[in-house]
Amino acid sequence: MKVLYLKLNRALFLLLFLPLLSFGQQKPNVVMIYADDLGYGDLSAYGATKINTPHIDALANQGVRFTNGHSSAATCTPSRYSLMTGKYPFRKTGTGVLPGDAALIIDQGQMTLPELFRQQGYETAIIGKWHLGLGSQVEKNWNESIKPGPLEVGYNYSYIFPATADRVPTVFLEGHRVVGVDPNDPIEVSYKQKIGNEPTGLENPELLKMKASPSHGHNQTIINGIGRIGWMTGGLQARWVDEEVTMTFADKTIQYIRENAKKPFFLSYHATEPHVPRMPSTMFKGKSGLGYRGDAILQLDHTVGEIVQALKDKGIYENTIIIFTSDNGAVLDDGYVDGAVTQLNGHNPFGPYRGGKYSAFEGGTRVPFIISWPKGIKKQQVSDALVCQMDLLSSFANFFKKPLSSQDELDSENIWNALIGKDKKGRDFLVQSAGTFSITKENLKYIKPSKGRAFNELTGTELGNHPEDQLYDLSKDPGEKDNIAKQNPKAVAELKELLENVLK
């Protein structure tokens, strides 16, 4: 009787609790692949003919490829701030492009995208570029524990470099500490004045393996034969080599997937490609025929393939949501002589759009935006829904059926049905930040008047600044060549009022 009683109890336990366990196991993993300065036209999935990106194209074929997907800003730090917080970057001061020694700009305790997942029982990790500041102040000791940082705003694990590859310090941080730091060779960093006796690009150009473009500022401390922004001394053992950065991040990412395959995870892989300095690993140099920028895009595509394969090897690919997008649009000459301009060979990184990184025109924020989820999203969809990266926070909160107490403070909107291809409209409107502000609603885009310069000679970018109102019908004029503001005063007035209400 005792044995029969135990068997009945076990059967009852399985009957009652296995469905709950099954539901828990069905939580999808989420992998966010965030490229850096990748343009709308840089992928063969988006029409590129001079470069082939088969692994990213495969993601597009597996799910939804958005043709009207946006970052919130035309530069990296503000876009990343919005992605994390669900807020427009202009809501907070100090969200411009940060120096490498900046303090953390995300308020601890506020809801963030990784924190949302963490509260749902997910493991959370970021591997790659950070560029949202570290520590509570600019002055920090790089040889000791540095916090707050990613671990204080939602991530359980982090392996990052602090800012961008062209800024010092050129080191990795795992958790709170610089990897490989030697106490006998302490790291010092300055963005105010030269420190130490190390050669600089300005004083010792003969030591450079990649020359800096004139007047861009990449002529300070030379590290790995490349002049950087900012001065650094010490930490010779801790400094990374450009050609090994992506492989290091990729290895860490694959290792993370293997170690966490049995539990749901949210993994942010923030790539450095194709941001400057473009110095891909040897296996990709010269492979694209488009200079180092093209080679870097091939390296990015290869890494995406490696990540997908790691998911497949662990049997979790089918139930993994993969989001692929970029922090802003493309730029060619962004500080180094690397063949991006001279070896373009007919490639058009901007697609049909005007401007690029730094610009209020569409090329500044309209970026590749792909979502795949074999178990939950229909294949081979193309959507013109208006979607923005900062909407991921509210959309996933809706997916988890978790009301956000701070929703009224957020600019993030629940567009979950658009993200999975079931709604072709998306947002009602979107405000974008560059040198000036713009607002897009349906087919019309309004750009606020600005006294800023119209053209950046250093990067060769039309910035979209103009002293008068600009209005474009993107359905007829995606290249924003025909300003129809004077012919449509009512539309201008309506969009101007809507924009000002948002800015307030």
Side-chain angles (χ1 to χ4, degrees):
M1 286 295 293
K2 184 176 181 180
V3 172
L4 179 61
Y5 177 79
L6 290 174
K7 287 183 176 179
L8 287 173
N9 271 344
R10 183 182 179 190
L12 183 62
F13 172 85
L14 293 175
L15 182 66
L16 291 174
F17 291 100
L18 270 184
L20 296 177
L21 293 173
S22 176
F23 176 80
Q25 291 165 351
Q26 289 175 0
K27 281 184 177 181
N29 306 300
V30 179
V31 176
M32 176 90 190
I33 303 175
Y34 207 41
D36 197 351
D37 293 358
L38 188 74
Y40 186 93
D42 273 326
L43 305 175
S44 40
Y46 281 83
T49 58
K50 300 294 183 178
I51 193 168
N52 187 31
T53 51
H55 299 293
I56 300 172
D57 294 0
L59 287 181
N61 290 331
Q62 187 68 58
V64 187
R65 178 174 65 85
F66 292 94
T67 57
N68 200 8
H70 292 261
S71 59
S72 64
T75 49
C76 51
T77 297
S79 293
R80 291 162 194 271
Y81 177 83
S82 291
L83 173 70
M84 284 283 289
T85 66
K87 297 180 181 180
Y88 285 124
F90 53 79
R91 301 291 186 207
K92 181 179 175 68
T93 58
T95 56
V97 179
L98 296 178
D101 60 351
L104 180 68
I105 61 172
I106 297 175
D107 296 331
Q108 297 178 66
Q110 74 177 101
M111 179 58 72
T112 64
L113 185 59
E115 181 60 30
L116 172 69
F117 281 92
R118 187 155 69 176
Q119 290 183 9
Q120 297 304 306
Y122 278 65
E123 289 297 316
T124 59
I126 180 169
I127 298 171
K129 174 178 173 176
W130 177 238
H131 211 184
L132 289 167
L134 294 167
S136 57
Q137 58 188 27
V138 171
E139 292 76 20
K140 57 182 67 73
N141 187 340
W142 293 95
N143 310 285
E144 298 180 351
S145 180
I146 302 171
K147 57 184 178 180
L151 302 186
E152 285 67 46
V153 293
Y155 290 109
N156 297 123
Y157 175 77
S158 68
Y159 194 99
I160 61 170
F161 62 54
T164 56
D166 58 341
R167 287 171 168 79
V168 299
T170 54
V171 295
F172 297 122
L173 281 88
E174 187 168 26
H176 295 134
R177 300 192 69 91
V178 172
V179 176
V181 65
D182 181 355
N184 296 316
D185 184 24
I187 298 169
E188 293 183 45
V189 172
S190 175
Y191 277 77
K192 296 179 181 178
Q193 60 190 12
K194 182 180 177 181
I195 54 176
N197 299 314
E198 300 196 36
T200 67
L202 179 64
E203 299 165 330
N204 305 97
E206 73 280 358
L207 299 179
L208 298 172
K209 68 180 182 183
M210 177 183 282
K211 293 182 179 179
S213 301
S215 304
H216 278 256
H218 295 91
N219 61 358
Q220 293 164 350
T221 300
I222 297 175
I223 297 170
N224 187 34
I226 300 172
R228 313 287 167 160
I229 298 175
W231 293 273
M232 176 181 178
T233 187
L236 294 179
Q237 180 176 291
R239 299 181 188 186
W240 40 251
V241 175
D242 298 75
E243 290 88 340
E244 297 177 357
V245 168
T246 292
M247 298 306 175
T248 301
F249 285 150
D251 285 348
K252 290 291 180 182
T253 300
I254 292 167
Q255 179 183 350
Y256 184 87
I257 291 171
R258 289 171 178 168
E259 292 177 352
N260 291 274
K262 293 183 179 180
K263 44 194 170 183
F265 58 78
F266 172 71
L267 169 60
S268 298
Y269 175 77
H270 288 200
T272 184
E273 296 96 350
H275 194 284
V276 296
R278 299 150 185 152
M279 186 55 67
S281 64
T282 303
M283 66 183 288
F284 293 102
K285 286 180 180 177
K287 191 174 181 179
S288 69
L290 303 178
Y292 281 172
R293 185 176 185 276
D295 299 343
I297 293 172
L298 293 186
Q299 181 169 267
L300 170 65
D301 183 69
H302 172 82
T303 306
V304 171
E306 293 286 296
I307 293 171
V308 170
Q309 189 60 51
L311 295 168
K312 290 180 177 179
D313 289 345
K314 299 305 293 186
I316 57 176
Y317 170 71
E318 293 291 320
N319 197 29
T320 297
I321 299 172
I322 301 177
I323 304 164
F324 178 92
T325 187
S326 177
D327 62 352
N328 49 250
V331 61
L332 296 178
D333 185 355
D334 207 21
Y336 296 96
V337 181
D338 59 5
V341 176
T342 58
Q343 298 180 51
L344 200 56
N345 293 334
H347 174 59
N348 179 11
F350 313 100
Y353 301 108
R354 191 176 179 184
K357 182 180 181 180
Y358 310 114
S359 176
F361 289 127
E362 283 294 281
T365 64
R366 192 181 295 225
V367 292
F369 202 123
I370 296 166
I371 299 183
S372 79
W373 181 18
K375 190 174 180 179
I377 294 180
K378 183 180 176 182
K379 295 181 180 181
Q380 296 180 335
Q381 297 186 69
V382 179
S383 174
D384 194 43
L386 179 61
V387 298
C388 182
Q389 295 158 8
M390 71 177 174
D391 295 324
L392 293 172
L393 178 56
S394 292
S395 299
F396 274 106
N398 173 75
F399 173 72
F400 291 129
K401 295 180 172 55
K402 175 182 172 56
L404 296 174
S405 59
S406 59
Q407 185 62 51
D408 291 343
E409 303 171 7
L410 300 181
D411 300 295
S412 178
E413 295 184 9
N414 171 26
I415 56 167
W416 178 255
N417 284 335
L419 294 178
I420 62 174
K422 292 185 177 181
D423 168 37
K424 301 301 182 183
K425 183 177 183 294
R427 283 181 148 263
D428 288 331
F429 66 88
L430 176 66
V431 174
Q432 295 135 306
S433 305
T436 184
F437 295 101
S438 67
I439 184 169
T440 301
K441 184 176 183 182
E442 297 175 345
N443 295 328
L444 293 179
K445 176 177 177 180
Y446 169 76
I447 303 178
K448 185 177 180 178
S450 169
K451 296 180 180 179
R453 55 180 175 163
F455 188 76
N456 184 338
E457 293 81 3
L458 295 178
T459 61
T461 307
E462 292 183 285
L463 298 175
N465 295 316
H466 194 277
E468 298 179 359
D469 293 319
Q470 295 179 77
L471 184 70
Y472 301 98
D473 184 342
L474 297 177
S475 65
K476 300 175 182 178
D477 179 26
E480 297 169 282
K481 298 296 185 182
D482 184 16
N483 183 3
I484 58 173
K486 292 182 179 179
Q487 300 97 295
N488 297 272
K490 183 177 179 182
V492 168
E494 290 176 354
L495 290 174
K496 181 184 293 188
E497 182 180 10
L498 183 57
L499 174 60
E500 291 303 324
N501 286 337
V502 174
L503 295 179
K504 290 177 183 177

